[in-house]
Amino acid sequence: KQEVTQIPAALSVPEGENLVLNCSFTDSAIYNLQWFRQDPGKGLTSLLLIQSSQREQTSGRLNASLDKSSGRSTLYIAASQPGDSATYLCAVNPGTYKYIFGTGTRLKVLA
Amino acid sequence: DGGITQSPKYLFRKEGQNVTLSCEQNLNHDAMYWYRQDPGQGLRLIYYSQIVNDFQKGDIAEGYSVSREKKESFPLTVTSAQKNPTAFYLCASIRTGTGGVDGYTFGSGTRLTVV
């Protein structure tokens, strides 16, 4: 059974720091992996989607990588800002269109 | 702009009452999903539908019911049999048949509270 883990559960960093959020999954047979951002009391906003054949995707200050063989993905945030404070979730599509979610990393960027 | 609309944003339920959460999408997506989010537990799948007039139970379907009479709409009813319904409910959709290249799109959620 596929399981998705995100460590750490919470993270506080000073503004301007580059940071890495981790996502690991137990079964490498995935179609793609999606990173989301969730602000308190809001829905999930898609940040990046990486197909199983890709190694990384970039959008602005965000870069997501995927290593299927090791069951890992990272979300790199460059030059963090207080507006980046949110919960970040990763989810894997095992091929059934039923994504499996991690429990998220709650990020706080301090001004 | 295309998207998913969930309503209401906040909903209060009395003991023994059924309530219905609305989810409407204009993305022409085939599949729609209902998730429940509780603090510290991540998202758990309640029901999903990959085609009109068909739906499947997810991991925590007990106490919930759904219908999919139109491609655009996937309402969720929280019945009185659901003993702990207080949670944040999220609706998602995806275009199928493409290997999921587009990923999930989410609505803004409905917060349900038992009073």
Side-chain angles (χ1 to χ4, degrees), chain A residues 31-32 34 36 38 41-44 49 51 89 93 96-99 101 103, chain B residues 33 35 37 45 48 50 88 90 94 97-104 106-108:
Chain A
Y31 269 32
N32 53 42
Q34 195 168 2
F36 296 90
Q38 186 177 31
K42 305 291 186 184
L44 277 65
L49 175 68
Q51 303 300 329
L89 297 99
N93 177 2
T96 62
Y97 298 103
K98 290 190 296 176
Y99 279 67
F101 287 81
T103 52
Chain B
Y33 305 79
Y35 285 90
Q37 187 176 36
L45 182 63
Y48 65 102
Q50 297 190 331
F88 191 51
L90 288 158
I94 191 170
T98 61
V101 295
D102 300 324
Y104 268 11
F106 277 89
S108 57

PDB file of all heavy atoms in Angstrom, chain A residues 31-32 34 36 38 41-44 49 51 89 93 96-99 101 103, chain B residues 33 35 37 45 48 50 88 90 94 97-104 106-108:
ATOM      1  N   TYR A  31       2.468   7.605 -11.425  1.00  0.00           N
ATOM      2  CA  TYR A  31       2.320   8.310 -12.697  1.00  0.00           C
ATOM      3  C   TYR A  31       2.912   9.706 -12.606  1.00  0.00           C
ATOM      4  O   TYR A  31       3.550  10.192 -13.520  1.00  0.00           O
ATOM      5  CB  TYR A  31       0.845   8.400 -13.081  1.00  0.00           C
ATOM      6  CG  TYR A  31       0.343   7.260 -13.929  1.00  0.00           C
ATOM      7  CD1 TYR A  31       0.875   5.985 -13.791  1.00  0.00           C
ATOM      8  CD2 TYR A  31      -0.667   7.452 -14.856  1.00  0.00           C
ATOM      9  CE1 TYR A  31       0.420   4.931 -14.554  1.00  0.00           C
ATOM     10  CE2 TYR A  31      -1.125   6.404 -15.635  1.00  0.00           C
ATOM     11  CZ  TYR A  31      -0.581   5.154 -15.483  1.00  0.00           C
ATOM     12  OH  TYR A  31      -1.044   4.118 -16.246  1.00  0.00           O
ATOM     13  N   ASN A  32       2.637  10.360 -11.512  1.00  0.00           N
ATOM     14  CA  ASN A  32       3.166  11.700 -11.305  1.00  0.00           C
ATOM     15  C   ASN A  32       3.063  12.074  -9.839  1.00  0.00           C
ATOM     16  O   ASN A  32       2.494  11.321  -9.022  1.00  0.00           O
ATOM     17  CB  ASN A  32       2.464  12.747 -12.186  1.00  0.00           C
ATOM     18  CG  ASN A  32       0.960  12.718 -12.047  1.00  0.00           C
ATOM     19  OD1 ASN A  32       0.437  12.595 -10.951  1.00  0.00           O
ATOM     20  ND2 ASN A  32       0.249  12.836 -13.158  1.00  0.00           N
ATOM     21  N   GLN A  34       2.447  15.641  -7.303  1.00  0.00           N
ATOM     22  CA  GLN A  34       1.991  17.032  -7.332  1.00  0.00           C
ATOM     23  C   GLN A  34       2.277  17.685  -5.985  1.00  0.00           C
ATOM     24  O   GLN A  34       2.028  17.085  -4.933  1.00  0.00           O
ATOM     25  CB  GLN A  34       0.493  17.071  -7.655  1.00  0.00           C
ATOM     26  CG  GLN A  34      -0.048  18.418  -8.068  1.00  0.00           C
ATOM     27  CD  GLN A  34      -1.471  18.318  -8.662  1.00  0.00           C
ATOM     28  OE1 GLN A  34      -2.052  17.236  -8.719  1.00  0.00           O
ATOM     29  NE2 GLN A  34      -2.014  19.434  -9.094  1.00  0.00           N
ATOM     30  N   PHE A  36       1.368  20.953  -3.535  1.00  0.00           N
ATOM     31  CA  PHE A  36       0.311  21.935  -3.299  1.00  0.00           C
ATOM     32  C   PHE A  36       0.708  22.865  -2.163  1.00  0.00           C
ATOM     33  O   PHE A  36       1.492  22.502  -1.282  1.00  0.00           O
ATOM     34  CB  PHE A  36      -0.993  21.235  -2.881  1.00  0.00           C
ATOM     35  CG  PHE A  36      -1.606  20.346  -3.903  1.00  0.00           C
ATOM     36  CD1 PHE A  36      -1.250  19.008  -3.959  1.00  0.00           C
ATOM     37  CD2 PHE A  36      -2.545  20.819  -4.799  1.00  0.00           C
ATOM     38  CE1 PHE A  36      -1.819  18.164  -4.885  1.00  0.00           C
ATOM     39  CE2 PHE A  36      -3.129  19.982  -5.730  1.00  0.00           C
ATOM     40  CZ  PHE A  36      -2.754  18.649  -5.771  1.00  0.00           C
ATOM     41  N   GLN A  38      -1.330  25.186   0.852  1.00  0.00           N
ATOM     42  CA  GLN A  38      -2.614  25.429   1.504  1.00  0.00           C
ATOM     43  C   GLN A  38      -2.452  26.509   2.559  1.00  0.00           C
ATOM     44  O   GLN A  38      -1.681  26.354   3.509  1.00  0.00           O
ATOM     45  CB  GLN A  38      -3.173  24.154   2.150  1.00  0.00           C
ATOM     46  CG  GLN A  38      -4.580  24.352   2.715  1.00  0.00           C
ATOM     47  CD  GLN A  38      -5.170  23.091   3.292  1.00  0.00           C
ATOM     48  OE1 GLN A  38      -4.463  22.236   3.810  1.00  0.00           O
ATOM     49  NE2 GLN A  38      -6.500  22.963   3.218  1.00  0.00           N
ATOM     50  N   GLY A  41      -7.490  27.606   6.376  1.00  0.00           N
ATOM     51  CA  GLY A  41      -8.903  27.703   6.051  1.00  0.00           C
ATOM     52  C   GLY A  41      -9.220  27.765   4.569  1.00  0.00           C
ATOM     53  O   GLY A  41     -10.368  28.053   4.191  1.00  0.00           O
ATOM     54  N   LYS A  42      -8.222  27.480   3.731  1.00  0.00           N
ATOM     55  CA  LYS A  42      -8.426  27.579   2.282  1.00  0.00           C
ATOM     56  C   LYS A  42      -8.255  26.219   1.618  1.00  0.00           C
ATOM     57  O   LYS A  42      -7.796  25.247   2.231  1.00  0.00           O
ATOM     58  CB  LYS A  42      -7.400  28.549   1.668  1.00  0.00           C
ATOM     59  CG  LYS A  42      -7.384  29.918   2.302  1.00  0.00           C
ATOM     60  CD  LYS A  42      -8.629  30.718   2.013  1.00  0.00           C
ATOM     61  CE  LYS A  42      -8.512  32.134   2.548  1.00  0.00           C
ATOM     62  NZ  LYS A  42      -9.759  32.901   2.353  1.00  0.00           N
ATOM     63  N   GLY A  43      -8.603  26.172   0.326  1.00  0.00           N
ATOM     64  CA  GLY A  43      -8.373  24.967  -0.445  1.00  0.00           C
ATOM     65  C   GLY A  43      -6.912  24.819  -0.832  1.00  0.00           C
ATOM     66  O   GLY A  43      -6.062  25.618  -0.428  1.00  0.00           O
ATOM     67  N   LEU A  44      -6.617  23.771  -1.600  1.00  0.00           N
ATOM     68  CA  LEU A  44      -5.251  23.510  -2.028  1.00  0.00           C
ATOM     69  C   LEU A  44      -4.999  24.155  -3.380  1.00  0.00           C
ATOM     70  O   LEU A  44      -5.815  24.030  -4.297  1.00  0.00           O
ATOM     71  CB  LEU A  44      -4.995  22.004  -2.132  1.00  0.00           C
ATOM     72  CG  LEU A  44      -4.637  21.257  -0.860  1.00  0.00           C
ATOM     73  CD1 LEU A  44      -5.771  21.250   0.143  1.00  0.00           C
ATOM     74  CD2 LEU A  44      -4.193  19.838  -1.195  1.00  0.00           C
ATOM     75  N   LEU A  49       3.649  20.052 -10.851  1.00  0.00           N
ATOM     76  CA  LEU A  49       3.282  18.675 -11.148  1.00  0.00           C
ATOM     77  C   LEU A  49       4.447  18.059 -11.905  1.00  0.00           C
ATOM     78  O   LEU A  49       4.885  18.608 -12.927  1.00  0.00           O
ATOM     79  CB  LEU A  49       2.012  18.635 -11.998  1.00  0.00           C
ATOM     80  CG  LEU A  49       1.543  17.270 -12.506  1.00  0.00           C
ATOM     81  CD1 LEU A  49       1.061  16.416 -11.352  1.00  0.00           C
ATOM     82  CD2 LEU A  49       0.441  17.432 -13.534  1.00  0.00           C
ATOM     83  N   GLN A  51       5.788  14.692 -13.858  1.00  0.00           N
ATOM     84  CA  GLN A  51       5.447  13.385 -14.423  1.00  0.00           C
ATOM     85  C   GLN A  51       6.528  12.395 -14.043  1.00  0.00           C
ATOM     86  O   GLN A  51       7.668  12.758 -13.743  1.00  0.00           O
ATOM     87  CB  GLN A  51       5.299  13.488 -15.942  1.00  0.00           C
ATOM     88  CG  GLN A  51       4.272  14.514 -16.413  1.00  0.00           C
ATOM     89  CD  GLN A  51       2.885  14.226 -15.902  1.00  0.00           C
ATOM     90  OE1 GLN A  51       2.488  13.094 -15.685  1.00  0.00           O
ATOM     91  NE2 GLN A  51       2.107  15.293 -15.694  1.00  0.00           N
ATOM     92  N   LEU A  89       1.838  20.477   0.803  1.00  0.00           N
ATOM     93  CA  LEU A  89       1.506  19.054   0.731  1.00  0.00           C
ATOM     94  C   LEU A  89       1.991  18.466  -0.583  1.00  0.00           C
ATOM     95  O   LEU A  89       1.941  19.121  -1.625  1.00  0.00           O
ATOM     96  CB  LEU A  89      -0.001  18.833   0.843  1.00  0.00           C
ATOM     97  CG  LEU A  89      -0.678  19.251   2.147  1.00  0.00           C
ATOM     98  CD1 LEU A  89      -1.333  20.605   2.006  1.00  0.00           C
ATOM     99  CD2 LEU A  89      -1.708  18.217   2.580  1.00  0.00           C
ATOM    100  N   ASN A  93       0.158  10.158  -7.623  1.00  0.00           N
ATOM    101  CA  ASN A  93      -0.877   9.486  -8.413  1.00  0.00           C
ATOM    102  C   ASN A  93      -0.350   8.088  -8.750  1.00  0.00           C
ATOM    103  O   ASN A  93       0.554   7.954  -9.559  1.00  0.00           O
ATOM    104  CB  ASN A  93      -1.161  10.297  -9.677  1.00  0.00           C
ATOM    105  CG  ASN A  93      -2.165   9.616 -10.588  1.00  0.00           C
ATOM    106  OD1 ASN A  93      -2.691   8.547 -10.267  1.00  0.00           O
ATOM    107  ND2 ASN A  93      -2.432  10.228 -11.720  1.00  0.00           N
ATOM    108  N   THR A  96      -4.243   5.439 -10.692  1.00  0.00           N
ATOM    109  CA  THR A  96      -5.690   5.253 -10.597  1.00  0.00           C
ATOM    110  C   THR A  96      -6.439   6.580 -10.554  1.00  0.00           C
ATOM    111  O   THR A  96      -7.646   6.601 -10.406  1.00  0.00           O
ATOM    112  CB  THR A  96      -6.018   4.499  -9.310  1.00  0.00           C
ATOM    113  OG1 THR A  96      -5.581   5.294  -8.194  1.00  0.00           O
ATOM    114  CG2 THR A  96      -5.333   3.144  -9.272  1.00  0.00           C
ATOM    115  N   TYR A  97      -5.717   7.687 -10.649  1.00  0.00           N
ATOM    116  CA  TYR A  97      -6.259   9.034 -10.484  1.00  0.00           C
ATOM    117  C   TYR A  97      -6.726   9.308  -9.067  1.00  0.00           C
ATOM    118  O   TYR A  97      -7.314  10.343  -8.803  1.00  0.00           O
ATOM    119  CB  TYR A  97      -7.403   9.325 -11.459  1.00  0.00           C
ATOM    120  CG  TYR A  97      -7.001   9.260 -12.905  1.00  0.00           C
ATOM    121  CD1 TYR A  97      -7.326   8.152 -13.677  1.00  0.00           C
ATOM    122  CD2 TYR A  97      -6.274  10.278 -13.480  1.00  0.00           C
ATOM    123  CE1 TYR A  97      -6.946   8.080 -15.004  1.00  0.00           C
ATOM    124  CE2 TYR A  97      -5.897  10.219 -14.808  1.00  0.00           C
ATOM    125  CZ  TYR A  97      -6.238   9.111 -15.567  1.00  0.00           C
ATOM    126  OH  TYR A  97      -5.857   9.040 -16.866  1.00  0.00           O
ATOM    127  N   LYS A  98      -6.480   8.387  -8.124  1.00  0.00           N
ATOM    128  CA  LYS A  98      -6.779   8.632  -6.720  1.00  0.00           C
ATOM    129  C   LYS A  98      -5.471   8.993  -6.028  1.00  0.00           C
ATOM    130  O   LYS A  98      -4.703   8.133  -5.605  1.00  0.00           O
ATOM    131  CB  LYS A  98      -7.388   7.397  -6.075  1.00  0.00           C
ATOM    132  CG  LYS A  98      -8.784   7.070  -6.546  1.00  0.00           C
ATOM    133  CD  LYS A  98      -9.413   5.997  -5.694  1.00  0.00           C
ATOM    134  CE  LYS A  98      -8.680   4.690  -5.811  1.00  0.00           C
ATOM    135  NZ  LYS A  98      -9.224   3.651  -4.916  1.00  0.00           N
ATOM    136  N   TYR A  99      -5.216  10.289  -5.934  1.00  0.00           N
ATOM    137  CA  TYR A  99      -3.973  10.751  -5.352  1.00  0.00           C
ATOM    138  C   TYR A  99      -3.905  10.383  -3.870  1.00  0.00           C
ATOM    139  O   TYR A  99      -4.910  10.400  -3.167  1.00  0.00           O
ATOM    140  CB  TYR A  99      -3.851  12.265  -5.503  1.00  0.00           C
ATOM    141  CG  TYR A  99      -3.367  12.705  -6.862  1.00  0.00           C
ATOM    142  CD1 TYR A  99      -4.147  12.510  -7.985  1.00  0.00           C
ATOM    143  CD2 TYR A  99      -2.136  13.335  -7.014  1.00  0.00           C
ATOM    144  CE1 TYR A  99      -3.710  12.910  -9.236  1.00  0.00           C
ATOM    145  CE2 TYR A  99      -1.696  13.742  -8.253  1.00  0.00           C
ATOM    146  CZ  TYR A  99      -2.481  13.529  -9.365  1.00  0.00           C
ATOM    147  OH  TYR A  99      -2.057  13.927 -10.596  1.00  0.00           O
ATOM    148  N   PHE A 101      -2.066  11.492  -0.357  1.00  0.00           N
ATOM    149  CA  PHE A 101      -1.467  12.711   0.176  1.00  0.00           C
ATOM    150  C   PHE A 101      -0.586  12.448   1.390  1.00  0.00           C
ATOM    151  O   PHE A 101      -0.863  11.570   2.203  1.00  0.00           O
ATOM    152  CB  PHE A 101      -2.569  13.693   0.588  1.00  0.00           C
ATOM    153  CG  PHE A 101      -3.269  14.334  -0.570  1.00  0.00           C
ATOM    154  CD1 PHE A 101      -4.281  13.658  -1.236  1.00  0.00           C
ATOM    155  CD2 PHE A 101      -2.902  15.595  -1.001  1.00  0.00           C
ATOM    156  CE1 PHE A 101      -4.916  14.234  -2.317  1.00  0.00           C
ATOM    157  CE2 PHE A 101      -3.539  16.190  -2.073  1.00  0.00           C
ATOM    158  CZ  PHE A 101      -4.545  15.503  -2.738  1.00  0.00           C
ATOM    159  N   THR A 103       0.919  14.325   4.958  1.00  0.00           N
ATOM    160  CA  THR A 103       0.251  15.146   5.965  1.00  0.00           C
ATOM    161  C   THR A 103       0.732  16.595   5.960  1.00  0.00           C
ATOM    162  O   THR A 103       0.199  17.409   6.686  1.00  0.00           O
ATOM    163  CB  THR A 103       0.428  14.555   7.368  1.00  0.00           C
ATOM    164  OG1 THR A 103       1.810  14.324   7.594  1.00  0.00           O
ATOM    165  CG2 THR A 103      -0.336  13.242   7.508  1.00  0.00           C
TER     166      THR A 103
ATOM    167  N   TYR B  33     -13.862  14.193  -6.792  1.00  0.00           N
ATOM    168  CA  TYR B  33     -13.476  13.540  -5.539  1.00  0.00           C
ATOM    169  C   TYR B  33     -13.926  14.396  -4.351  1.00  0.00           C
ATOM    170  O   TYR B  33     -13.914  15.625  -4.431  1.00  0.00           O
ATOM    171  CB  TYR B  33     -11.953  13.386  -5.454  1.00  0.00           C
ATOM    172  CG  TYR B  33     -11.349  12.656  -6.625  1.00  0.00           C
ATOM    173  CD1 TYR B  33     -11.138  13.312  -7.835  1.00  0.00           C
ATOM    174  CD2 TYR B  33     -11.008  11.312  -6.535  1.00  0.00           C
ATOM    175  CE1 TYR B  33     -10.610  12.649  -8.924  1.00  0.00           C
ATOM    176  CE2 TYR B  33     -10.479  10.641  -7.624  1.00  0.00           C
ATOM    177  CZ  TYR B  33     -10.288  11.312  -8.806  1.00  0.00           C
ATOM    178  OH  TYR B  33      -9.761  10.643  -9.889  1.00  0.00           O
ATOM    179  N   TYR B  35     -12.775  14.849  -0.323  1.00  0.00           N
ATOM    180  CA  TYR B  35     -11.810  14.546   0.728  1.00  0.00           C
ATOM    181  C   TYR B  35     -12.257  15.230   2.022  1.00  0.00           C
ATOM    182  O   TYR B  35     -12.860  16.302   2.004  1.00  0.00           O
ATOM    183  CB  TYR B  35     -10.419  15.068   0.374  1.00  0.00           C
ATOM    184  CG  TYR B  35      -9.696  14.260  -0.674  1.00  0.00           C
ATOM    185  CD1 TYR B  35      -9.830  14.573  -2.032  1.00  0.00           C
ATOM    186  CD2 TYR B  35      -8.873  13.197  -0.319  1.00  0.00           C
ATOM    187  CE1 TYR B  35      -9.165  13.839  -2.996  1.00  0.00           C
ATOM    188  CE2 TYR B  35      -8.203  12.457  -1.277  1.00  0.00           C
ATOM    189  CZ  TYR B  35      -8.353  12.792  -2.618  1.00  0.00           C
ATOM    190  OH  TYR B  35      -7.697  12.057  -3.561  1.00  0.00           O
ATOM    191  N   GLN B  37     -10.558  16.662   5.612  1.00  0.00           N
ATOM    192  CA  GLN B  37      -9.288  17.052   6.216  1.00  0.00           C
ATOM    193  C   GLN B  37      -9.496  17.350   7.692  1.00  0.00           C
ATOM    194  O   GLN B  37     -10.315  18.201   8.048  1.00  0.00           O
ATOM    195  CB  GLN B  37      -8.703  18.274   5.499  1.00  0.00           C
ATOM    196  CG  GLN B  37      -7.301  18.632   5.969  1.00  0.00           C
ATOM    197  CD  GLN B  37      -6.715  19.785   5.180  1.00  0.00           C
ATOM    198  OE1 GLN B  37      -7.412  20.716   4.787  1.00  0.00           O
ATOM    199  NE2 GLN B  37      -5.409  19.721   4.918  1.00  0.00           N
ATOM    200  N   LEU B  45      -9.870  10.202   1.565  1.00  0.00           N
ATOM    201  CA  LEU B  45     -10.826  10.117   0.471  1.00  0.00           C
ATOM    202  C   LEU B  45     -12.155   9.549   0.960  1.00  0.00           C
ATOM    203  O   LEU B  45     -12.193   8.472   1.549  1.00  0.00           O
ATOM    204  CB  LEU B  45     -10.251   9.244  -0.653  1.00  0.00           C
ATOM    205  CG  LEU B  45     -11.086   9.079  -1.907  1.00  0.00           C
ATOM    206  CD1 LEU B  45     -11.280  10.423  -2.599  1.00  0.00           C
ATOM    207  CD2 LEU B  45     -10.420   8.084  -2.851  1.00  0.00           C
ATOM    208  N   TYR B  48     -15.504   9.010  -4.707  1.00  0.00           N
ATOM    209  CA  TYR B  48     -15.057   9.563  -5.957  1.00  0.00           C
ATOM    210  C   TYR B  48     -15.926   9.034  -7.096  1.00  0.00           C
ATOM    211  O   TYR B  48     -16.580   7.996  -6.972  1.00  0.00           O
ATOM    212  CB  TYR B  48     -13.576   9.280  -6.216  1.00  0.00           C
ATOM    213  CG  TYR B  48     -13.227   7.825  -6.387  1.00  0.00           C
ATOM    214  CD1 TYR B  48     -13.014   7.283  -7.646  1.00  0.00           C
ATOM    215  CD2 TYR B  48     -13.066   6.996  -5.275  1.00  0.00           C
ATOM    216  CE1 TYR B  48     -12.668   5.956  -7.807  1.00  0.00           C
ATOM    217  CE2 TYR B  48     -12.724   5.669  -5.427  1.00  0.00           C
ATOM    218  CZ  TYR B  48     -12.514   5.152  -6.693  1.00  0.00           C
ATOM    219  OH  TYR B  48     -12.170   3.827  -6.841  1.00  0.00           O
ATOM    220  N   GLN B  50     -15.687   8.714 -11.446  1.00  0.00           N
ATOM    221  CA  GLN B  50     -14.881   8.896 -12.654  1.00  0.00           C
ATOM    222  C   GLN B  50     -15.729   9.032 -13.903  1.00  0.00           C
ATOM    223  O   GLN B  50     -15.196   9.270 -14.992  1.00  0.00           O
ATOM    224  CB  GLN B  50     -13.869   7.755 -12.789  1.00  0.00           C
ATOM    225  CG  GLN B  50     -12.875   7.759 -11.626  1.00  0.00           C
ATOM    226  CD  GLN B  50     -11.705   6.814 -11.819  1.00  0.00           C
ATOM    227  OE1 GLN B  50     -11.824   5.798 -12.474  1.00  0.00           O
ATOM    228  NE2 GLN B  50     -10.569   7.165 -11.223  1.00  0.00           N
ATOM    229  N   PHE B  88     -13.046  19.830   7.697  1.00  0.00           N
ATOM    230  CA  PHE B  88     -12.947  20.664   6.492  1.00  0.00           C
ATOM    231  C   PHE B  88     -13.085  19.721   5.305  1.00  0.00           C
ATOM    232  O   PHE B  88     -12.353  18.735   5.197  1.00  0.00           O
ATOM    233  CB  PHE B  88     -11.594  21.383   6.500  1.00  0.00           C
ATOM    234  CG  PHE B  88     -11.455  22.461   5.472  1.00  0.00           C
ATOM    235  CD1 PHE B  88     -12.409  23.454   5.350  1.00  0.00           C
ATOM    236  CD2 PHE B  88     -10.343  22.510   4.651  1.00  0.00           C
ATOM    237  CE1 PHE B  88     -12.272  24.475   4.424  1.00  0.00           C
ATOM    238  CE2 PHE B  88     -10.189  23.526   3.716  1.00  0.00           C
ATOM    239  CZ  PHE B  88     -11.155  24.504   3.601  1.00  0.00           C
ATOM    240  N   LEU B  90     -13.102  19.016   1.221  1.00  0.00           N
ATOM    241  CA  LEU B  90     -12.520  19.521  -0.019  1.00  0.00           C
ATOM    242  C   LEU B  90     -12.979  18.680  -1.202  1.00  0.00           C
ATOM    243  O   LEU B  90     -12.987  17.452  -1.142  1.00  0.00           O
ATOM    244  CB  LEU B  90     -10.999  19.485   0.061  1.00  0.00           C
ATOM    245  CG  LEU B  90     -10.386  20.536   0.989  1.00  0.00           C
ATOM    246  CD1 LEU B  90      -8.999  20.106   1.434  1.00  0.00           C
ATOM    247  CD2 LEU B  90     -10.336  21.883   0.296  1.00  0.00           C
ATOM    248  N   ILE B  94     -10.289  16.121 -11.861  1.00  0.00           N
ATOM    249  CA  ILE B  94      -9.141  15.880 -12.734  1.00  0.00           C
ATOM    250  C   ILE B  94      -9.639  15.393 -14.086  1.00  0.00           C
ATOM    251  O   ILE B  94     -10.683  14.741 -14.181  1.00  0.00           O
ATOM    252  CB  ILE B  94      -8.168  14.852 -12.098  1.00  0.00           C
ATOM    253  CG1 ILE B  94      -6.850  14.782 -12.862  1.00  0.00           C
ATOM    254  CG2 ILE B  94      -8.818  13.479 -12.039  1.00  0.00           C
ATOM    255  CD1 ILE B  94      -5.775  13.964 -12.132  1.00  0.00           C
ATOM    256  N   GLY B  97      -7.941  10.015 -18.709  1.00  0.00           N
ATOM    257  CA  GLY B  97      -7.652   9.578 -20.063  1.00  0.00           C
ATOM    258  C   GLY B  97      -6.390  10.193 -20.624  1.00  0.00           C
ATOM    259  O   GLY B  97      -6.036   9.974 -21.782  1.00  0.00           O
ATOM    260  N   THR B  98      -5.698  10.979 -19.798  1.00  0.00           N
ATOM    261  CA  THR B  98      -4.470  11.640 -20.262  1.00  0.00           C
ATOM    262  C   THR B  98      -3.269  11.245 -19.412  1.00  0.00           C
ATOM    263  O   THR B  98      -2.229  11.873 -19.484  1.00  0.00           O
ATOM    264  CB  THR B  98      -4.637  13.167 -20.185  1.00  0.00           C
ATOM    265  OG1 THR B  98      -4.865  13.528 -18.818  1.00  0.00           O
ATOM    266  CG2 THR B  98      -5.808  13.640 -21.027  1.00  0.00           C
ATOM    267  N   GLY B  99      -3.458  10.226 -18.570  1.00  0.00           N
ATOM    268  CA  GLY B  99      -2.388   9.844 -17.652  1.00  0.00           C
ATOM    269  C   GLY B  99      -2.276  10.795 -16.487  1.00  0.00           C
ATOM    270  O   GLY B  99      -1.297  10.784 -15.756  1.00  0.00           O
ATOM    271  N   GLY B 100      -3.304  11.618 -16.307  1.00  0.00           N
ATOM    272  CA  GLY B 100      -3.294  12.572 -15.197  1.00  0.00           C
ATOM    273  C   GLY B 100      -2.313  13.698 -15.392  1.00  0.00           C
ATOM    274  O   GLY B 100      -1.808  14.262 -14.421  1.00  0.00           O
ATOM    275  N   VAL B 101      -2.042  14.078 -16.636  1.00  0.00           N
ATOM    276  CA  VAL B 101      -1.011  15.079 -16.885  1.00  0.00           C
ATOM    277  C   VAL B 101      -1.349  16.443 -16.312  1.00  0.00           C
ATOM    278  O   VAL B 101      -0.466  17.276 -16.131  1.00  0.00           O
ATOM    279  CB  VAL B 101      -0.727  15.220 -18.397  1.00  0.00           C
ATOM    280  CG1 VAL B 101      -0.128  13.943 -18.934  1.00  0.00           C
ATOM    281  CG2 VAL B 101      -1.975  15.607 -19.167  1.00  0.00           C
ATOM    282  N   ASP B 102      -2.630  16.668 -16.039  1.00  0.00           N
ATOM    283  CA  ASP B 102      -3.005  17.978 -15.531  1.00  0.00           C
ATOM    284  C   ASP B 102      -3.020  18.048 -14.018  1.00  0.00           C
ATOM    285  O   ASP B 102      -3.030  19.117 -13.456  1.00  0.00           O
ATOM    286  CB  ASP B 102      -4.400  18.359 -16.049  1.00  0.00           C
ATOM    287  CG  ASP B 102      -4.447  18.401 -17.562  1.00  0.00           C
ATOM    288  OD1 ASP B 102      -3.428  18.810 -18.149  1.00  0.00           O
ATOM    289  OD2 ASP B 102      -5.477  18.026 -18.122  1.00  0.00           O
ATOM    290  N   GLY B 103      -3.082  16.948 -13.343  1.00  0.00           N
ATOM    291  CA  GLY B 103      -3.139  16.958 -11.893  1.00  0.00           C
ATOM    292  C   GLY B 103      -4.505  17.369 -11.374  1.00  0.00           C
ATOM    293  O   GLY B 103      -5.423  17.673 -12.129  1.00  0.00           O
ATOM    294  N   TYR B 104      -4.618  17.376 -10.052  1.00  0.00           N
ATOM    295  CA  TYR B 104      -5.854  17.744  -9.370  1.00  0.00           C
ATOM    296  C   TYR B 104      -6.036  19.260  -9.362  1.00  0.00           C
ATOM    297  O   TYR B 104      -5.076  20.019  -9.233  1.00  0.00           O
ATOM    298  CB  TYR B 104      -5.781  17.312  -7.905  1.00  0.00           C
ATOM    299  CG  TYR B 104      -6.327  15.954  -7.552  1.00  0.00           C
ATOM    300  CD1 TYR B 104      -6.681  15.029  -8.502  1.00  0.00           C
ATOM    301  CD2 TYR B 104      -6.469  15.592  -6.213  1.00  0.00           C
ATOM    302  CE1 TYR B 104      -7.157  13.780  -8.142  1.00  0.00           C
ATOM    303  CE2 TYR B 104      -6.945  14.356  -5.844  1.00  0.00           C
ATOM    304  CZ  TYR B 104      -7.287  13.453  -6.816  1.00  0.00           C
ATOM    305  OH  TYR B 104      -7.756  12.217  -6.452  1.00  0.00           O
ATOM    306  N   PHE B 106      -8.505  21.811  -6.952  1.00  0.00           N
ATOM    307  CA  PHE B 106      -9.324  21.791  -5.747  1.00  0.00           C
ATOM    308  C   PHE B 106     -10.252  22.995  -5.682  1.00  0.00           C
ATOM    309  O   PHE B 106      -9.937  24.077  -6.194  1.00  0.00           O
ATOM    310  CB  PHE B 106      -8.443  21.798  -4.490  1.00  0.00           C
ATOM    311  CG  PHE B 106      -7.946  20.440  -4.090  1.00  0.00           C
ATOM    312  CD1 PHE B 106      -6.759  19.945  -4.584  1.00  0.00           C
ATOM    313  CD2 PHE B 106      -8.674  19.651  -3.205  1.00  0.00           C
ATOM    314  CE1 PHE B 106      -6.295  18.690  -4.218  1.00  0.00           C
ATOM    315  CE2 PHE B 106      -8.228  18.398  -2.822  1.00  0.00           C
ATOM    316  CZ  PHE B 106      -7.032  17.918  -3.345  1.00  0.00           C
ATOM    317  N   GLY B 107     -11.381  22.790  -4.980  1.00  0.00           N
ATOM    318  CA  GLY B 107     -12.229  23.902  -4.595  1.00  0.00           C
ATOM    319  C   GLY B 107     -11.686  24.558  -3.334  1.00  0.00           C
ATOM    320  O   GLY B 107     -10.656  24.145  -2.790  1.00  0.00           O
ATOM    321  N   SER B 108     -12.404  25.551  -2.845  1.00  0.00           N
ATOM    322  CA  SER B 108     -11.936  26.327  -1.694  1.00  0.00           C
ATOM    323  C   SER B 108     -12.381  25.737  -0.361  1.00  0.00           C
ATOM    324  O   SER B 108     -11.991  26.234   0.687  1.00  0.00           O
ATOM    325  CB  SER B 108     -12.404  27.776  -1.801  1.00  0.00           C
ATOM    326  OG  SER B 108     -13.820  27.798  -1.899  1.00  0.00           O
TER     327      SER B 108
END
